Amino acid sequence: MGQKSIGANTGDVPADLEADLAAFGGPEIGHLFAERFSEFINEDSTPKSLRKARELTLAIGEFGSLSSSAPLEAILLPYLLTDVLPLVIIESSKMRDNAMLLSERETINVWDKMMVPVQGGQFKVAADGASRETVDHLDALTGPTAETLRQEAQNYRKANVTFQSQGAKFLTSTINANTGADIVSAPVIAAQPKLVAATISLWREVLIYLDETLESQRTSTLRAVALAGMTGGAIILIAFGIGIALVRALADRTQREFEELGFHDPLTGLPNRRGLLKALRNMSQAGTKQAAALIVFDIRQFRKINHRHGDQSGDAILRAFAGDLTMLAEPDDFISRTGGSEFVLVRPAVKNTQQFESYVKKALKMLSKERRIDDQDTIIDVHAGLCLNKSGRSLTEETLTDATLALRAAKQKGPKELATFTSAMRALFESNADTAKELLPALQNGEILPWFQPQVDIHTGAIVGAEALARWVEKDQVRFPGAFLPAAEDAGYMDLVETAIREKVLALATTLNEVSAANIHLGLNLSASILGQENVADEIYNKIVSLGLKPANFSLEILEAVMLDEAGALPVKKNIARLSELGFYIELDDFGTGHSSISSLRDLKVDRVKIDRSFVSGVDTNPALQKFTSALINLAKSLDISVLAEGVETEGERLWLKANGCDVIQGFLISKAVPEDQIIEMILRQSQLRSGTTAQAVGA
Ligand code: C2E
Ligand code: CA
Ligand code: CA
């Protein structure tokens, strides 16, 4: 057997070895060492001799550490010898082998793109560890061979740096490659023997140094030990050659399994969500000492792009996006497509948090670039959620959830935004989940209902409308929308909430029809999720008509952001147009906070704008605000759109608004939102006053 002949080079176990060692390190150690040595020399099977070599070097380590004459630094050296340096050789051989194999491939598959970075990462960990240990231990050493040892360490580090930098190029080229020809493999192959040679000489010098410090008269024994150590290394290499073939066969099989098991996304060739979860599990088993990060990227308005340009263009964008992300990824990164337009990048080791954050921002900008679709430049807005784990906390499925929570926060911030996960996000998510759980029974018990805030004509003070605002009324506790609508939105209950509100609003409209001749507009807030549903316009219309009510008596309040936001815009726009066509009164809510233009107001057939409270509050005393608010009013007026001011709290504000062309006001100055019976009462009182002699009106 090959390895036997190498082992045999060292000869049989020297007869006096055990006695020598026993005199030196005690009978137990002497015996243990001699036994290991003999087992190693006489072992025929490759894998077993590999194990014996490890045991032998381990025994050297114990020998060094137990010998009372060894200095402290020397005691640490065996660790370098047994654990750290052999790993460098193993991992560099893997990299070299990968390079040779890949350079012959006609196509480069996703498995290669995943496996090569993983192995590159293992090599880096081994090589960096070895460099660090070497520096840590060698500087303190003294004695005649310490200088040579340092020189060897220097050589090792140089070879290591060369190999690592070639390795990095190799990894990047593999990720970008389509065929083996695209891969920069030659320098990695060329640099590896140098690294191995440098590692082995360092290894030998360490042994020689140990030998020297242990006692010069034991030279002959320890030389045998040194030889054994080197032989062990040679055997590791040979065994590794066989191992590599096995690993490769395994890799091929695993790739097939990987594809069969559905761990990858056929469209982009990246691992999918399952693939990512599997990788995260593997990573967390491996553990980490460094900080690690996970970023979720999402393409904004992707549904709209698909709608507008067709599925093929959508697919092309996803593929291009995957390509760009691959380019941006670093060798150790793991990337995957986890859903529709959602991609995840995992960075297993983050050295510098600040640098990393600026990397993410740069990546976001790069990914958000203009892309050509159907010969048209289209802006792709990307946002991202980042979760950064402190050192020692490995990435898990929970990290993915956290980053997704951060992504949601980024979505709320706007296009091209990045948000970093904070524990407050999780707390909010959990409390929303709790609230959502209580929400269903509350809906069933009729606890979710509208209160109504009157809207009055600014000139006459007559109530012309009332906005329905959702309330959660439990015995004597009233909860406001801010406390439960976000939870409803998260849980997908918005539809249920708004249907419940709508039914009660329609009931009130029927009552008002019976008791009052006044033509009151009831305002309904429509959420983006409702407006995103097909046919919702006709459903609402049919319901209203079936009750004998008129669409013109209902104001549909749509947030400026929702009206203009293109997210899933097609159904939203279609629904708004249809609602307007069916005769509903369309109101643009929170006007001024979005980016309405003249053309959007006209195209969307807005009947009235509701100026947001932030432009009303204090307007009578703030000249800068006055300019802005009157510009808003004038913009609407120039298009014949009626103007309502929200959140009017003072008489001063009312007077200013009246003087500046506002038509209707709503706010605490008139009344807060009140329960149904009270709004009926207010309206009735008004009609009685009307029919009476004093034409005094509410709030005027
Ligand atoms: P919004 O549509 O802008 O409603 C106006 C909010 O301002 C209401 O808060 C109202 O009580 C408050 N408000 C009115 N006048 C004044 C005032 O003079 N001063 C101050 N400080 N506040 C005033 P509320 O009821 O808490 O509702 C908050 C938001 O929740 C609403 O803002 C609306 O976006 C949402 N919302 C309420 N009900 C529904 C609903 O049924 N469906 C949907 N989609 N959203 C709803
Ligand atoms: Ca509103
Ligand atoms: Ca509003």
Side-chain angles (χ1 to χ4, degrees):
M1 294 280 307
Q3 68 273 29
K4 180 67 191 291
S5 69
I6 295 169
N9 280 341
T10 59
D12 278 334
V13 187
D16 55 350
L17 179 68
E18 187 171 337
D20 273 358
L21 292 168
F24 193 70
E28 224 171 287
I29 292 282
H31 181 65
L32 176 79
F33 184 83
E35 205 177 70
R36 295 270 183 274
F37 197 73
S38 141
E39 280 171 4
F40 164 62
I41 290 180
N42 296 311
E43 181 54 65
D44 272 350
S45 117
T46 303
K48 280 187 192 155
S49 66
L50 176 65
R51 200 165 63 229
K52 299 284 179 231
R54 298 274 300 172
E55 285 169 3
L56 179 62
T57 36
L58 219 69
I60 302 174
E62 281 179 41
F63 188 63
S65 64
L66 286 180
S67 164
S68 55
S69 57
L72 183 67
E73 294 78 18
I75 288 170
L76 295 170
L77 287 178
Y79 170 58
L80 244 188
L81 217 94
T82 53
D83 285 331
V84 183
L85 289 176
L87 267 181
V88 174
I89 297 184
I90 292 175
E91 297 299 344
S92 69
S93 304
K94 275 193 218 174
M95 291 268 286
R96 188 187 89 120
D97 241 79
N98 275 337
M100 289 188 351
L101 262 148
L102 290 183
S103 59
E104 288 157 16
R105 290 273 178 112
E106 275 172 20
T107 56
I108 298 304
N109 60 37
V110 57
W111 178 252
D112 297 320
K113 289 183 192 233
M114 272 171 59
M115 270 318 284
V116 171
V118 169
Q119 290 184 348
Q122 281 160 358
F123 170 75
K124 243 174 109 49
V125 170
D128 291 346
S131 273
R132 208 174 41 245
E133 305 285 348
T134 318
V135 174
D136 282 356
H137 298 330
L138 296 194
D139 283 352
L141 298 184
T142 53
T145 51
E147 196 41 53
T148 337
L149 184 52
R150 272 195 284 272
Q151 190 53 48
E152 290 298 342
Q154 196 62 30
N155 290 342
Y156 159 76
R157 288 220 294 277
K158 273 189 203 148
N160 187 358
V161 167
T162 313
F163 188 73
Q164 285 207 31
S165 63
Q166 295 304 340
K169 284 183 200 149
F170 164 63
L171 299 180
T172 320
S173 66
T174 307
I175 290 169
N176 298 339
N178 293 315
T179 75
D182 305 334
I183 293 183
V184 185
S185 56
V188 185
I189 298 165
Q192 195 259 358
K194 280 192 199 136
L195 176 63
V196 171
T199 314
I200 287 184
S201 353
L202 177 59
W203 201 342
R204 194 185 52 223
E205 279 321 311
V206 170
L207 278 169
I208 292 173
Y209 181 84
L210 275 176
D211 170 12
E212 192 181 77
T213 58
L214 285 177
E215 249 176 69
S216 48
Q217 62 266 52
R218 300 290 190 267
T219 310
S220 58
T221 312
L222 286 161
R223 196 130 295 152
V225 171
L227 267 174
M230 285 176 66
T231 312
I235 288 175
I236 290 177
L237 285 181
I238 294 165
F240 193 74
I242 299 165
I244 266 281
L246 289 173
V247 165
R248 215 45 247 189
L250 193 69
D252 282 341
R253 208 187 67 201
T254 319
Q255 187 204 335
R256 278 198 308 279
E257 279 173 7
F258 172 77
E259 278 164 8
E260 277 162 17
L261 284 173
F263 283 123
H264 99 296
D265 161 42
L267 178 67
T268 58
L270 292 177
N272 60 13
R273 190 183 167 83
R274 290 185 63 194
L276 170 68
L277 292 179
K278 192 169 196 274
L280 288 179
R281 273 194 294 278
N282 290 345
M283 282 181 210
S284 65
Q285 266 161 21
T288 175
K289 286 199 188 107
Q290 271 179 304
L294 190 151
I295 316 162
V296 188
F297 293 99
D298 193 19
I299 305 178
R300 214 165 156 260
Q301 314 168 358
F302 184 72
R303 269 199 316 175
K304 180 196 117 196
I305 297 171
N306 245 356
H307 264 296
R308 182 182 293 168
H309 300 280
D311 289 349
Q312 273 193 343
S313 300
D315 287 355
I317 285 176
L318 291 176
R319 270 196 296 266
F321 189 93
D324 288 345
L325 192 59
T326 311
M327 297 280 276
L328 285 165
E330 299 207 332
D332 291 352
D333 292 351
F334 183 97
I335 56 178
S336 53
R337 176 178 171 225
T338 48
S341 56
E342 221 172 78
F343 291 81
V344 169
L345 184 144
V346 174
R347 166 95 24 118
V350 174
K351 278 157 217 106
N352 177 325
T353 315
Q354 261 180 348
Q355 257 173 28
F356 179 70
E357 275 174 2
S358 59
Y359 162 86
V360 179
K361 281 188 191 136
K362 223 173 69 197
L364 201 58
K365 214 164 138 195
M366 243 290 288
L367 293 167
S368 293
K369 69 184 181 198
E370 268 186 353
R371 287 163 205 273
R372 265 198 106 61
I373 312 169
D374 298 345
D375 283 333
Q376 227 181 307
D377 286 331
T378 307
I379 291 178
I380 307 285
D381 279 338
V382 178
H383 34 217
L386 163 66
C387 184
L388 218 108
N389 275 2
K390 290 218 181 65
S391 45
R393 251 198 85 201
S394 44
L395 298 166
T396 60
E397 191 169 348
E398 196 178 295
T399 320
L400 178 61
T401 321
D402 291 349
T404 311
L405 289 176
L407 176 71
R408 284 159 33 130
K411 281 182 187 172
Q412 276 158 16
K413 274 164 64 180
K416 295 195 185 64
E417 283 289 352
L418 167 71
T420 304
F421 171 76
T422 60
S423 51
M425 289 179 189
R426 182 170 276 276
L428 179 67
F429 176 71
E430 279 164 4
S431 97
N432 274 355
D434 289 346
T435 309
K437 255 187 244 140
E438 296 172 42
L439 204 55
L440 282 186
L443 278 160
Q444 264 154 14
N445 298 339
E447 288 169 15
I448 309 293
L449 44 83
W451 279 13
F452 297 88
Q453 188 177 32
Q455 302 167 330
V456 302
D457 183 305
I458 200 165
H459 300 288
T460 66
I463 298 179
V464 291
E467 176 179 6
L469 292 161
R471 296 290 181 264
W472 183 340
V473 184
E474 256 175 310
K475 293 176 206 102
D476 42 6
Q477 189 201 11
V478 178
R479 283 197 250 181
F480 290 82
F484 62 92
L485 284 191
E489 193 102 49
D490 272 3
Y493 295 160
M494 212 51 200
D495 196 1
L496 294 174
V497 170
E498 292 200 344
T499 307
I501 301 284
R502 202 155 58 232
E503 271 170 17
K504 302 223 158 60
V505 170
L506 297 190
L508 172 68
T510 313
T511 311
L512 285 179
N513 260 358
E514 288 161 6
V515 298
S516 158
N519 214 5
I520 303 284
H521 272 244
L522 291 181
L524 276 165
N525 289 289
L526 293 191
S527 66
S529 32
I530 297 290
L531 286 165
Q533 294 172 11
E534 304 266 341
N535 302 328
V536 72
D538 285 273
E539 277 164 29
I540 297 179
Y541 174 81
N542 291 337
K543 183 94 205 199
I544 282 176
V545 173
S546 75
L547 292 170
L549 301 166
K550 287 200 267 323
N553 283 346
F554 294 91
S555 299
L556 303 181
E557 301 192 8
I558 301 164
L559 291 177
E560 182 171 30
V562 172
M563 220 183 253
L564 300 177
D565 188 7
E566 307 273 292
L570 260 192
V572 173
K573 279 206 178 123
K574 259 195 210 155
N575 276 326
I576 296 175
R578 180 76 183 137
L579 287 166
S580 168
E581 193 179 288
L582 291 169
F584 288 99
Y585 202 70
I586 306 292
E587 294 195 350
L588 188 65
D589 205 352
D590 294 358
F591 181 55
T593 58
H595 307 277
S596 290
S597 60
I598 293 199
S599 61
S600 58
L601 290 180
R602 195 189 47 218
D603 294 349
L604 290 164
K605 305 222 170 63
V606 170
D607 296 297
R608 179 151 77 192
V609 293
K610 294 187 76 174
I611 296 185
D612 190 66
R613 187 163 72 89
S614 54
F615 306 110
V616 170
S617 193
V619 70
D620 49 327
T621 54
N622 179 342
L625 193 59
Q626 285 169 0
K627 269 196 197 147
F628 196 89
T629 308
S630 57
L632 285 178
I633 297 175
N634 291 337
L635 170 59
K637 290 272 136 181
S638 70
L639 291 162
D640 255 343
I641 293 175
S642 160
V643 175
L644 180 152
E646 280 195 297
V648 181
E649 291 183 351
T650 68
E651 185 58 17
E653 288 161 4
R654 187 185 76 89
L655 290 174
W656 187 91
L657 289 162
K658 190 175 169 186
N660 284 275
C662 178
D663 304 304
V664 180
I665 54 171
Q666 171 182 352
F668 293 173
L669 176 68
I670 315 299
S671 165
K672 291 191 176 178
V674 295
E676 187 189 68
D677 51 344
Q678 288 182 37
I679 194 83
I680 295 178
E681 211 176 286
M682 283 165 108
I683 292 168
L684 283 183
R685 197 178 335 129
Q686 171 173 294
S687 11
Q688 281 155 9
L689 287 172
R690 286 269 149 121
S691 51
T693 42
T694 34
Q696 195 192 20
V698 187

